Amino acid sequence: MTRTLTPPAPVTLAAFDAMFEAVKNWGRWGPDDERGTLNYLTPDKVAAAATLVHSGRTVSMAIPINKVAGPDNANPAVHLMSLMHDIPISESGLSFGMCFLGMASHGDCHTHVDALNHVAYRGQLYNGKPASLLTSRGSEWGSIAAYATGIVGRGVLLDAARHRHVDWLEPGEAVTREDLEAIEAAEGVRLGEGDILVFRTGHHARRLALGPWSNEYPPAGEGKAGLHVDTIPWMHERRIAAFLPDGDGETVPSNVEGMPYPIHALQLTAMGMCISDSLQLEDLAEACEQEGRWEFMVVGLPLRLPGATGSPWNPIAIF
Amino acid sequence: MTRTLTPPAPVTLAAFDAMFEAVKNWGRWGPDDERGTLNYLTPDKVAAAATLVHSGRTVSMAIPINKVAGPDNANPAVHLMSLMHDIPISESGLSFGMCFLGMASHGDCHTHVDALNHVAYRGQLYNGKPASLLTSRGSEWGSIAAYATGIVGRGVLLDAARHRHVDWLEPGEAVTREDLEAIEAAEGVRLGEGDILVFRTGHHARRLALGPWSNEYPPAGEGKAGLHVDTIPWMHERRIAAFLPDGDGETVPSNVEGMPYPIHALQLTAMGMCISDSLQLEDLAEACEQEGRWEFMVVGLPLRLPGATGSPWNPIAIF
Amino acid sequence: MTRTLTPPAPVTLAAFDAMFEAVKNWGRWGPDDERGTLNYLTPDKVAAAATLVHSGRTVSMAIPINKVAGPDNANPAVHLMSLMHDIPISESGLSFGMCFLGMASHGDCHTHVDALNHVAYRGQLYNGKPASLLTSRGSEWGSIAAYATGIVGRGVLLDAARHRHVDWLEPGEAVTREDLEAIEAAEGVRLGEGDILVFRTGHHARRLALGPWSNEYPPAGEGKAGLHVDTIPWMHERRIAAFLPDGDGETVPSNVEGMPYPIHALQLTAMGMCISDSLQLEDLAEACEQEGRWEFMVVGLPLRLPGATGSPWNPIAIF
Amino acid sequence: MTRTLTPPAPVTLAAFDAMFEAVKNWGRWGPDDERGTLNYLTPDKVAAAATLVHSGRTVSMAIPINKVAGPDNANPAVHLMSLMHDIPISESGLSFGMCFLGMASHGDCHTHVDALNHVAYRGQLYNGKPASLLTSRGSEWGSIAAYATGIVGRGVLLDAARHRHVDWLEPGEAVTREDLEAIEAAEGVRLGEGDILVFRTGHHARRLALGPWSNEYPPAGEGKAGLHVDTIPWMHERRIAAFLPDGDGETVPSNVEGMPYPIHALQLTAMGMCISDSLQLEDLAEACEQEGRWEFMVVGLPLRLPGATGSPWNPIAIF
């Protein structure tokens, strides 16, 4: 059973810009801060998150890395052997298999985390840093290395597909602030300062059922379900530390006139929010049902890659 | 202050083979098991590990990924931009930085985790599977994907360098079973079933102080400090779930006659142990001192790469 | 206007094996020879080929390297900048653009040349060498490095599409020995010892007109136009030195029962023939018409990559 | 026997800039020209070059691609198997070896050709095009694709090492215009319009004898033998079409005050000259001696890589 909502009225670019200013955290944690909303996630909140662990069940939120080209995988991962059992070490009988992995960090079908140097708006990165910091060697400032000690905290799954009693939201459907609060009420949870919002539209369930589709700008493709931009001031008020969606949070086509990726611009560039892309939340959704709760400890660990604009990763929930 | 111990008497190949048989877990968890000693790390042990979190301090155990060739980095990571701010999306003012990462999974200076398909001894992988399973596309069986839900448990740092009152053990020095038990006693800890042994020789401290050196087989290089093989039966008895050393656990030259990498063969191939390589434990050692304890929660999250023989990763300790 | 020929009767595997034996050049140029049929292309034939140059017109026979995934491009080339103008050298005002290229050598839509270590039949490479020579590091024996001084000689275009008065042969159509001789007669040329056979079915013209299609084994795809296996003994008799087709020479489905890629096996493995894949012969076909001749000097220059099973390349015709 | 010349007096930056203006070919072949000095190499000159072929001997001018990191190979080529004989096609007995190659196009120890989009001076590429054309996806304008039909012409080896009776020129030694004319006289050759200057200092001979060394800017390294900038106006007057040196033509340290890579700036940016880097001219030098002549046909064939700033290649001389 699926239903399509009436799409909310489009947001003007002027309204978007006003919102950008309103949620802007530039300077909030100092002029050189590169952790952004992770500043909300203090050690005491890490410790509190650990108390959510009861059963010890761990659930991966990552899609297996995809080596096959497709409409959402223009640059499939290169995975090859750099050494195989053909080269025994001495006469000892030992042989080794060794891998080489090459992949784009921001592929639409690879679970990854974005660094704060990933998106600039009008020539500026988060905290007002110039986009020109970003060179063909990356940018030391705001790189994924700033998240080296990991994202550890209380995660709450707001499951929009479950709430609407559908297998997945259809491309183009947008989840509003009102919706998020309704889901909170239904699940009996409330997100607060330093929490990690895990957000499910069923994007990956749709992919598993119907196959991959193109959801990239500029080609129209079929679009994507995601957030309405009015959820961003809500996240700002609630002081959310990190955002982990299936899909990438964006509704495609966008709700903002003439602006693709408004969610990324508001989250990464204005707020300095830690965001991830393209999670696999099907296993988590099932685990939440079985455990009867929608909160858990989250751990996400980016690779320590200096200068990088992001990293593939495999974040988990611990119940 | 450094001191060099008298190296223990070499172990014969026959003794090695007997040890291999003695610690072999093949079949222990079924003929198709591909989680090996992680079977010791049950959900209740995960839950118990979470109770070790008090301060909420998180510490990375990874070395920043190294893009510069050197004696222990023959194939430096390739890190390039696949898209930069040169391509604004429409006229919106948005621009993106996007990375490409290419790297060998088992580089000697890159913190990584080995899969159970990484090492074969006499034509057999862990659980008796034929080495021929491993092809140029990897091996679905025993790949790093078997660790998709992560390594989460109680970690204990046995700090051999601290115990010997040195900055680092010198290449060639071996830590014995007796040493490990002495360190346990000194630190007031005891490793048991399902625990994660974090083992520090100061390898990375030496690298930071003196620069990189070659420690590869077959070229002699300068060697490496590591374990004596007599520690392996001890790990087997204690039912250790995972092993996270700086260096790679091996003493170079090896203590076993005619056998390089005896530790890998015993751990990976015989025991099916989850092992990591080339950790950076300097920050952790300092944190342990400051926190006054040598146990903590460990979380390590491999990439979900089907078929892979290992994965770069960034495991953390949570206090 | 297109026409489909009655496909020739299938060849049995036994007949294939007999043909394999009949055209086998193993040992012909010594037990360690790794140049195969290029031995026919002696310096005097190189010199003779140069006398074919009159107008000085040069024509590329390569497809531009394709960076976009598609049905015949499962692993698109990775082309990124490793340095850009962001890093001026000192204050001199100089800036540099520098590329990184990563690509599979044998992609179906990338013009490339195969090395003699590329294909084994029943465990043996050309000259009877064991397939086990080929490891994850390649094979020094029979690698593309054996062609380091290039393929230089008299090229003759046999244009099957033109001969049949079609834009292209349809997938599945096979060109026989009889056809080749008819084309020779019509074009007023004759191929002999040391010559380079350039063979056009219009494969690339079809791709340009209709878009890419899958022509790989094992999935059926739409198939491919190519050679009937009865052309191979003809090439053997004529002592052809090299073979440069659009497509890859194979008719798909194959004319040999239970045997995909029979042309590759016969050419590479049995004869040790220098063969190329996936040429773009549209510009050449037009040039031949304009020049009024179907013979010319050919130069093809593989990269000097030790151990490689092939190389991307850009062979040219010089009129 | 080696000798070190008195280095010529340094050239001021102002003199450099005047020279830049004097040799500038911007607009000479139209505002959108991207072939530069290859315009001198007309078809009749190609045809004339072919008449130089007598013996049919072919000689490679490329260094085998280097997979081992070293002081002049910071990013060694990645060469791996993407498929090996482990995957037989059906039950036919066929198995395949297939390569993946990843490499930087401009490595100091990899023979390559530069595109006209490779170097900008004060924000401008050849023909006055803005450096901003060059993005992380390369630049369609001035890319190596402009050389798709290859570099084919009369090559003349000016062998500076032979002329000075040394095995190689020492790092820092510069060859002047006067020297080039003296070598011409000694060899009995004269370079003219559309010719290809092959220039040998013995750089690679030194590398083979003494091992690799760093010759990069900005770290000083040991430096490099090369051209004095006063040779550039000479090349301009002579209307040389292409320049193929061992080393990269630069004398290091540079003869121009405050200006690294003056030769590249003058050749690529001002003149639009086709230049190659890091050739292996040892085999050619020997062949010239044996053939008793220093002119020959040259063929160099870049990969057809759209947008690329250069390409690895394997140019040859044909005698």
Side-chain angles (χ1 to χ4, degrees):
Chain A
M1 183 186 85
T2 66
R3 89 193 151 99
T4 304
L5 298 187
T6 309
V11 174
T12 66
L13 194 53
F16 171 84
D17 280 339
M19 187 182 287
F20 191 96
E21 289 304 313
V23 303
K24 205 159 81 171
N25 286 323
W26 300 7
R28 182 174 191 146
W29 298 285
D32 293 322
D33 173 65
E34 46 183 358
R35 290 180 53 79
T37 57
L38 285 186
N39 285 291
Y40 294 133
L41 220 177
T42 52
D44 60 296
K45 293 197 186 299
V46 172
T51 66
L52 297 173
V53 177
H54 304 313
S55 69
R57 176 180 190 166
T58 58
V59 179
S60 167
M61 296 189 277
I63 304 171
I65 293 176
N66 190 336
K67 309 175 193 177
V68 178
D72 61 355
N73 197 18
N75 298 291
V78 175
H79 176 228
L80 304 168
M81 289 294 122
S82 58
L83 182 63
M84 244 169 70
H85 40 82
D86 38 62
I87 307 185
I89 300 295
S90 79
E91 265 80 64
S92 63
L94 277 177
S95 57
F96 287 75
M98 299 173 81
C99 291
F100 176 89
L101 172 64
M103 64 185 294
S105 299
H106 297 276
D108 240 23
C109 74
H110 291 134
T111 307
H112 63 272
V113 56
D114 294 337
L116 291 181
N117 64 8
H118 174 45
V119 176
Y121 184 55
R122 297 190 173 158
Q124 288 182 294
L125 299 163
Y126 165 67
N127 228 350
K129 299 293 180 185
S132 58
L133 285 179
L134 190 68
T135 74
S136 53
R137 297 180 177 195
S139 158
E140 291 304 316
W141 188 86
S143 91
I144 204 65
Y147 297 165
T149 54
I151 285 77
V152 185
R154 175 189 180 236
V156 176
L157 171 65
L158 297 188
D159 189 337
R162 177 176 176 273
H163 187 67
R164 293 189 183 175
H165 305 292
V166 295
D167 289 333
W168 53 75
L169 273 63
E170 292 297 331
E173 285 191 85
V175 172
T176 64
R177 170 188 189 127
E178 196 179 354
D179 292 330
L180 293 182
E181 293 187 338
I183 301 170
E184 274 188 319
E187 293 180 357
V189 291
R190 183 180 164 85
L191 282 124
E193 183 165 339
D195 282 343
I196 296 167
L197 169 52
V198 184
F199 173 66
R200 180 173 175 270
T201 62
H203 182 96
H204 193 65
R206 188 176 191 270
R207 193 183 192 282
L208 291 173
L210 305 183
W213 70 97
S214 171
N215 44 55
E216 278 285 0
Y217 288 100
E222 293 181 45
K224 230 174 331 196
L227 296 174
H228 190 273
V229 287
D230 77 358
T231 57
I232 299 298
W234 179 86
M235 290 186 200
H236 186 61
E237 290 159 26
R238 291 290 186 90
R239 302 192 169 181
I240 305 295
F243 176 65
L244 280 65
D246 57 0
D248 65 356
E250 302 287 347
T251 302
V252 176
S254 153
N255 308 121
V256 179
E257 291 174 336
M259 166 68 67
Y261 296 106
I263 303 294
H264 275 67
L266 293 166
Q267 289 181 323
L268 273 179
T269 316
M271 299 167 74
M273 180 175 265
C274 174
I275 63 175
S276 182
D277 258 31
S278 306
L279 281 84
Q280 179 274 112
L281 300 178
E282 303 315 302
D283 293 345
L284 179 65
E286 187 182 349
C288 285
E289 293 285 355
Q290 290 168 353
E291 301 277 336
R293 56 182 176 127
W294 281 261
E295 64 171 1
F296 35 78
M297 186 182 190
V298 163
V299 183
L301 301 173
L303 297 178
R304 290 189 78 166
L305 182 56
T309 61
S311 171
W313 73 345
N314 175 17
I316 60 169
I318 315 177
F319 285 88
Chain B
M1 182 187 88
T2 66
R3 88 194 153 97
T4 303
L5 300 185
T6 310
V11 173
T12 65
L13 194 52
F16 170 84
D17 281 337
M19 186 181 287
F20 190 96
E21 290 303 314
V23 302
K24 204 159 80 171
N25 286 323
W26 300 7
R28 182 175 192 143
W29 297 285
D32 293 321
D33 173 66
E34 46 185 358
R35 289 180 54 79
T37 57
L38 286 186
N39 285 290
Y40 294 133
L41 220 176
T42 52
D44 60 295
K45 292 196 185 302
V46 172
T51 67
L52 297 172
V53 177
H54 305 311
S55 69
R57 176 181 190 165
T58 58
V59 179
S60 167
M61 295 189 277
I63 304 170
I65 293 176
N66 190 335
K67 309 175 194 178
V68 178
D72 61 356
N73 197 17
N75 299 290
V78 175
H79 176 228
L80 305 169
M81 290 293 123
S82 58
L83 182 62
M84 243 171 71
H85 41 81
D86 39 63
I87 306 186
I89 299 295
S90 78
E91 265 79 64
S92 63
L94 278 177
S95 57
F96 287 75
M98 299 173 82
C99 289
F100 176 88
L101 170 64
M103 64 185 294
S105 298
H106 297 276
D108 241 22
C109 74
H110 291 134
T111 307
H112 63 272
V113 55
D114 293 339
L116 293 181
N117 64 9
H118 174 47
V119 176
Y121 183 54
R122 296 189 173 159
Q124 288 182 294
L125 299 163
Y126 166 68
N127 227 351
K129 299 292 179 184
S132 59
L133 285 179
L134 190 67
T135 73
S136 54
R137 299 180 177 194
S139 158
E140 291 303 315
W141 188 87
S143 90
I144 204 66
Y147 296 165
T149 54
I151 285 77
V152 184
R154 175 188 180 236
V156 176
L157 172 65
L158 297 188
D159 189 337
R162 177 176 177 272
H163 187 68
R164 292 190 183 174
H165 306 291
V166 295
D167 290 332
W168 53 76
L169 273 62
E170 292 297 331
E173 284 190 86
V175 172
T176 63
R177 170 187 189 127
E178 195 179 354
D179 293 327
L180 292 182
E181 293 187 337
I183 300 170
E184 274 188 320
E187 293 181 358
V189 292
R190 183 180 165 86
L191 282 124
E193 184 167 339
D195 283 343
I196 297 166
L197 170 53
V198 185
F199 174 66
R200 179 173 176 271
T201 62
H203 182 97
H204 193 65
R206 189 176 192 270
R207 193 183 192 281
L208 291 172
L210 305 182
W213 70 97
S214 170
N215 44 56
E216 280 285 0
Y217 287 99
E222 293 181 45
K224 229 174 332 196
L227 297 173
H228 191 273
V229 287
D230 77 359
T231 57
I232 299 298
W234 178 87
M235 291 186 201
H236 185 62
E237 289 159 26
R238 292 289 187 93
R239 302 192 167 181
I240 306 295
F243 177 65
L244 279 66
D246 57 0
D248 65 354
E250 302 287 347
T251 303
V252 176
S254 152
N255 308 121
V256 178
E257 291 174 337
M259 166 67 66
Y261 296 105
I263 302 294
H264 275 66
L266 293 166
Q267 289 181 322
L268 273 179
T269 315
M271 299 168 75
M273 180 175 265
C274 174
I275 63 175
S276 181
D277 258 31
S278 306
L279 281 84
Q280 178 273 113
L281 300 178
E282 302 316 302
D283 294 344
L284 180 65
E286 186 182 349
C288 285
E289 293 285 354
Q290 290 168 352
E291 301 276 337
R293 56 182 175 126
W294 280 262
E295 64 172 0
F296 35 80
M297 186 183 190
V298 163
V299 183
L301 301 172
L303 297 178
R304 289 189 77 168
L305 183 55
T309 60
S311 172
W313 74 345
N314 175 17
I316 60 168
I318 314 177
F319 285 87
Chain C
M1 181 187 87
T2 65
R3 92 195 150 96
T4 304
L5 299 186
T6 310
V11 174
T12 65
L13 194 52
F16 170 84
D17 280 339
M19 186 182 286
F20 192 96
E21 289 304 313
V23 302
K24 204 158 83 170
N25 286 322
W26 300 8
R28 182 174 193 147
W29 298 285
D32 293 321
D33 172 66
E34 45 184 358
R35 291 181 53 80
T37 57
L38 285 186
N39 285 290
Y40 294 134
L41 221 178
T42 52
D44 60 296
K45 293 197 186 300
V46 172
T51 66
L52 297 173
V53 177
H54 306 312
S55 69
R57 176 180 189 165
T58 57
V59 179
S60 167
M61 295 189 277
I63 304 171
I65 293 175
N66 191 336
K67 310 175 193 178
V68 178
D72 60 356
N73 197 17
N75 298 290
V78 175
H79 176 228
L80 304 169
M81 289 295 122
S82 57
L83 182 63
M84 243 170 70
H85 40 81
D86 38 62
I87 306 185
I89 300 295
S90 79
E91 265 79 64
S92 63
L94 278 177
S95 57
F96 287 76
M98 298 173 82
C99 291
F100 176 90
L101 171 64
M103 65 185 294
S105 299
H106 297 276
D108 240 24
C109 74
H110 291 135
T111 307
H112 62 271
V113 55
D114 293 338
L116 292 181
N117 63 8
H118 174 46
V119 176
Y121 184 54
R122 296 189 174 160
Q124 286 181 295
L125 298 163
Y126 165 67
N127 229 350
K129 299 293 179 183
S132 59
L133 284 180
L134 189 67
T135 73
S136 53
R137 299 181 177 193
S139 157
E140 291 305 315
W141 188 87
S143 90
I144 204 66
Y147 296 165
T149 55
I151 285 78
V152 185
R154 174 187 181 239
V156 176
L157 171 64
L158 297 188
D159 189 336
R162 177 176 176 274
H163 188 67
R164 292 189 183 175
H165 306 291
V166 295
D167 289 334
W168 53 77
L169 272 63
E170 291 297 330
E173 285 191 85
V175 172
T176 63
R177 170 188 189 126
E178 195 180 355
D179 293 327
L180 292 182
E181 293 187 337
I183 300 170
E184 274 188 319
E187 293 181 357
V189 291
R190 183 180 165 83
L191 282 125
E193 183 166 339
D195 283 343
I196 297 167
L197 170 52
V198 185
F199 174 66
R200 180 173 175 270
T201 62
H203 181 97
H204 194 65
R206 188 176 192 270
R207 193 183 191 280
L208 291 173
L210 306 183
W213 71 96
S214 171
N215 44 55
E216 280 286 0
Y217 288 99
E222 294 181 44
K224 228 173 334 196
L227 296 173
H228 190 273
V229 286
D230 77 358
T231 57
I232 299 298
W234 179 87
M235 291 186 200
H236 186 62
E237 291 159 25
R238 291 290 186 90
R239 301 191 169 182
I240 306 295
F243 176 65
L244 279 65
D246 57 0
D248 65 355
E250 301 288 346
T251 302
V252 175
S254 152
N255 309 121
V256 179
E257 291 174 336
M259 165 67 68
Y261 296 105
I263 303 294
H264 275 66
L266 293 166
Q267 289 182 323
L268 274 179
T269 316
M271 298 167 75
M273 180 175 265
C274 174
I275 62 174
S276 182
D277 258 31
S278 305
L279 281 84
Q280 179 274 112
L281 300 178
E282 303 315 302
D283 294 344
L284 180 64
E286 186 182 349
C288 285
E289 293 285 355
Q290 290 168 352
E291 302 276 337
R293 56 182 175 126
W294 280 260
E295 64 171 2
F296 35 79
M297 186 183 191
V298 163
V299 183
L301 301 172
L303 297 178
R304 291 189 76 167
L305 183 55
T309 60
S311 172
W313 73 345
N314 175 18
I316 60 168
I318 314 177
F319 285 88
Chain D
M1 180 188 90
T2 66
R3 89 195 151 96
T4 304
L5 298 186
T6 309
V11 174
T12 65
L13 194 51
F16 170 84
D17 281 338
M19 186 182 287
F20 191 96
E21 290 304 313
V23 303
K24 204 159 81 171
N25 286 323
W26 300 7
R28 182 174 191 147
W29 298 285
D32 293 321
D33 173 65
E34 46 185 357
R35 289 179 55 79
T37 58
L38 285 186
N39 285 290
Y40 294 133
L41 220 176
T42 52
D44 60 295
K45 293 197 186 300
V46 172
T51 66
L52 297 172
V53 177
H54 305 312
S55 69
R57 177 181 190 164
T58 58
V59 179
S60 166
M61 297 189 277
I63 305 170
I65 294 176
N66 190 336
K67 310 175 195 178
V68 179
D72 61 356
N73 197 17
N75 299 289
V78 175
H79 175 228
L80 305 169
M81 290 293 123
S82 57
L83 182 62
M84 242 169 71
H85 41 81
D86 39 63
I87 307 186
I89 300 295
S90 78
E91 265 79 63
S92 63
L94 278 177
S95 58
F96 287 75
M98 298 173 82
C99 290
F100 175 89
L101 171 64
M103 65 185 294
S105 299
H106 297 276
D108 240 24
C109 74
H110 291 134
T111 307
H112 63 272
V113 55
D114 293 339
L116 292 181
N117 64 8
H118 173 46
V119 176
Y121 183 54
R122 296 189 173 159
Q124 289 182 293
L125 299 163
Y126 165 68
N127 228 350
K129 299 292 180 185
S132 59
L133 285 180
L134 189 66
T135 73
S136 53
R137 299 181 176 192
S139 157
E140 291 304 315
W141 188 86
S143 90
I144 204 67
Y147 296 165
T149 54
I151 286 77
V152 185
R154 175 188 181 237
V156 176
L157 172 64
L158 297 188
D159 189 336
R162 177 175 177 273
H163 187 67
R164 293 189 183 174
H165 306 292
V166 295
D167 290 333
W168 52 78
L169 273 62
E170 291 297 331
E173 285 192 86
V175 172
T176 64
R177 171 188 188 127
E178 195 180 355
D179 292 328
L180 292 182
E181 293 186 337
I183 301 169
E184 274 188 319
E187 292 181 358
V189 292
R190 182 179 166 87
L191 282 123
E193 184 166 339
D195 283 343
I196 296 166
L197 170 53
V198 184
F199 174 67
R200 180 174 176 271
T201 62
H203 181 97
H204 193 66
R206 188 176 192 270
R207 193 183 191 279
L208 291 173
L210 306 182
W213 70 97
S214 170
N215 44 56
E216 280 286 359
Y217 288 100
E222 293 182 46
K224 228 173 335 195
L227 296 173
H228 191 273
V229 286
D230 77 359
T231 57
I232 299 297
W234 179 86
M235 291 187 200
H236 186 63
E237 290 159 26
R238 293 288 186 92
R239 302 191 168 182
I240 306 296
F243 176 65
L244 280 65
D246 57 1
D248 64 356
E250 302 287 346
T251 302
V252 176
S254 153
N255 309 120
V256 178
E257 290 174 336
M259 167 66 69
Y261 296 106
I263 303 293
H264 275 66
L266 293 166
Q267 289 180 322
L268 273 179
T269 315
M271 299 168 74
M273 180 175 265
C274 174
I275 63 175
S276 182
D277 257 32
S278 305
L279 281 83
Q280 178 273 113
L281 300 177
E282 302 316 302
D283 294 344
L284 179 65
E286 186 182 350
C288 285
E289 293 285 355
Q290 290 168 352
E291 302 277 337
R293 56 184 175 125
W294 281 261
E295 63 171 2
F296 35 79
M297 187 183 190
V298 163
V299 184
L301 301 173
L303 297 178
R304 289 189 77 167
L305 183 56
T309 61
S311 172
W313 74 344
N314 175 18
I316 60 168
I318 314 177
F319 286 88

